[in-house]
Amino acid sequence: MTDLSVTIGSLRLANPVMPASGTFSEALADAIDLDRLGALVAKTVMPEIRQGNALPRVAETPMGMLNSIGIPCKGPEAFIRDAIPAFKRFHPPFVASISAGTVTAFAHLARQVGEGGADVVEANISCPNLEADGHAFAVSAAATAHVTKALRAATDGPLWVKLSPNAPNIAEVALAAEAEGADAVVVANTILGMAIDIDHRRAKLGAGMGGLSGPAIKPIVLRMAYQCARALRIPVIGCGGIASAEDALEFLIAGCRAVQVGTATFRHPGAMIHILDDLDTWCRARGIERIDDLIGTLEPFEAPRLPPGEDLAAE
Ligand SMILES: Cc1cc2nc3c(=O)[nH]c(=O)nc-3n(C[C@H](O)[C@H](O)[C@H](O)COP(=O)(O)O)c2cc1C
């Protein structure tokens, strides 16, 4: 067996594979052994009780899915009372994903879920910042710094900040999160997109636009994860279109310390377990004893050299 364990800050995970927020619940235990996963990540919880967005909330696209779920939520009290104990029946560390419209509400929620038993707080900062005209915290390095600083002050436990691929310069935003005390960044949330039903000339999503996920976004997010891993000292957790061990390996080689799997689980509930098994098989076939040895091992391309006198300038 390959040693698949990885370290994210002070946390040692048995392996680098975990679910992406919003695509997973403890009910998946009916289909797979949740104790095999590196961590368990819950759907984002917000400070208020919310209904979520107008229907329809999901639409298929040729290479992925669009969603505009809008974070329906029963509020933090119900989350702490019902959801946290349900997840804590399993062994992997439990990651509570939180979001809020203001910095103060974000920090308060981090404290609540930390005291409620979450092992990690993952801050989903892709939500609208009500104090900045509704622009997501994650599209601005300054807003990300502001909210991360408040979150860091609110919790002593591991703090992961989940970034948005809709940011104009994601590495700059990631650096702001690192500077204010994040223990890791998750790269990334969904990419803003749209689909139209041409017969009815209506958007396919009730909210008009939504987040694109799945295979379509993998090359874009892989590039962003690589840029962040190059720039940061803290770990990067890759997330976007990962559906196979090969996909996961690309993110690890690019420098990610772990990966999150989202849309792939909707297609195959066993996707994360297959990825884990195939990672082990891939490593063993190549004599790689520790997955850690693969992380950030992307080789630079050497420019091909033509023999002297045969370079382009000679033509
Ligand atoms: C139906 C659905 C719901 C989601 N809900 C959340 C959420 O509540 N919080 C969050 O941070 N990300 C949420 N996401 C984004 C995923 O966690 C992930 O970042 C994104 O889907 C990219 O990964 P993937 O291509 O593997 O799905 C959601 C994605 C989908 C498809």
Side-chain angles (χ1 to χ4, degrees), residues 20-23 43-44 67 69 124 162 188-190 213-214 239-241 262-263:
S21 175
T23 64
K43 168 90 186 156
T44 299
N67 91 82
I69 307 287
N124 170 11
K162 183 169 178 182
N189 215 307
T190 52
S213 62
C239 175
T263 303

Side-chain angles (χ1 to χ4, degrees), residues 19-23 42-45 57-58 65-69 71 97 122-126 162-163 186-190 211-215 217-218 221 239-243 260-264 266:
S21 175
T23 64
K43 168 90 186 156
T44 299
V45 63
R57 293 174 175 174
V58 294
M65 67 181 279
L66 281 164
N67 91 82
S68 61
I69 307 287
I71 316 192
S97 168
E122 181 179 286
N124 170 11
I125 60 167
S126 298
K162 183 169 178 182
L163 306 181
V186 181
V187 180
N189 215 307
T190 52
L212 182 63
S213 62
I217 71 170
K218 199 197 83 186
V221 178
C239 175
I242 296 168
Q260 295 187 345
V261 177
T263 303
F266 292 139

Side-chain angles (χ1 to χ4, degrees), residues 12 19 75 95 108 132 146 193 205 223 262 275 284 291 307 309 315:
R12 187 112 188 118
V95 182
H108 181 65
H146 189 194
L205 294 176
R223 182 265 298 170
I275 291 173
R284 277 195 289 129
I291 197 111
E315 285 185 359

Side-chain angles (χ1 to χ4, degrees), residues 18-56:
M18 66 184 90
S21 175
T23 64
F24 171 77
S25 84
E26 80 283 1
L28 201 65
D30 293 344
I32 63 169
D33 179 2
L34 300 192
D35 282 330
R36 289 201 53 201
L37 301 176
L40 305 179
V41 187
K43 168 90 186 156
T44 299
V45 63
M46 293 191 72
E48 61 281 340
I49 295 171
R50 298 161 53 96
Q51 298 299 326
N53 282 336
L55 301 176

Side-chain angles (χ1 to χ4, degrees), residues 30-220:
D30 293 344
I32 63 169
D33 179 2
L34 300 192
D35 282 330
R36 289 201 53 201
L37 301 176
L40 305 179
V41 187
K43 168 90 186 156
T44 299
V45 63
M46 293 191 72
E48 61 281 340
I49 295 171
R50 298 161 53 96
Q51 298 299 326
N53 282 336
L55 301 176
R57 293 174 175 174
V58 294
E60 253 194 270
T61 74
M63 287 286 285
M65 67 181 279
L66 281 164
N67 91 82
S68 61
I69 307 287
I71 316 192
C73 153
K74 294 180 182 160
E77 287 75 21
F79 180 75
I80 291 163
R81 187 187 61 235
D82 304 330
I84 295 188
F87 280 106
K88 297 277 278 190
R89 287 186 291 131
F90 303 96
H91 300 308
F94 171 62
V95 182
S97 168
I98 63 164
S99 199
T102 66
V103 169
T104 312
F106 231 128
H108 181 65
L109 187 54
R111 190 171 296 116
Q112 274 182 298
V113 299
E115 289 171 1
D119 299 307
V120 178
V121 170
E122 181 179 286
N124 170 11
I125 60 167
S126 298
C127 60
N129 174 358
L130 302 180
E131 291 156 331
D133 271 346
H135 295 298
F137 290 95
V139 299
S140 147
T144 298
H146 189 194
V147 72
T148 306
K149 186 174 184 176
L151 290 165
R152 183 67 291 164
T155 173
D156 293 332
L159 171 64
W160 300 354
V161 176
K162 183 169 178 182
L163 306 181
S164 168
N166 302 312
N169 183 342
I170 196 165
E172 194 179 285
V173 176
L175 281 166
E178 177 181 76
E180 294 300 342
D183 295 301
V185 291
V186 181
V187 180
N189 215 307
T190 52
I191 296 180
L192 199 56
M194 187 175 185
I196 292 176
D197 172 344
I198 53 174
D199 288 321
H200 297 96
R201 299 188 199 178
R202 255 200 319 250
K204 285 192 178 174
L205 294 176
M209 292 175 277
L212 182 63
S213 62
I217 71 170
K218 199 197 83 186
I220 302 170

Side-chain angles (χ1 to χ4, degrees), residues 207-289:
M209 292 175 277
L212 182 63
S213 62
I217 71 170
K218 199 197 83 186
I220 302 170
V221 178
L222 178 64
R223 182 265 298 170
M224 292 180 173
Y226 171 64
Q227 287 177 308
C228 291
R230 256 190 341 190
L232 300 188
R233 277 168 288 120
I234 58 171
V236 174
I237 300 167
C239 175
I242 296 168
S244 65
E246 288 77 10
D247 293 337
L249 283 160
E250 283 191 74
F251 278 83
L252 296 175
I253 291 168
C256 294
R257 205 73 67 81
V259 293
Q260 295 187 345
V261 177
T263 303
T265 297
F266 292 139
R267 186 162 285 166
H268 299 295
M272 287 183 284
I273 300 299
H274 286 301
I275 291 173
L276 269 174
D277 289 342
D278 293 350
L279 277 178
D280 177 47
T281 307
W282 192 91
C283 288
R284 277 195 289 129
R286 287 157 184 81
I288 297 166
E289 288 173 8

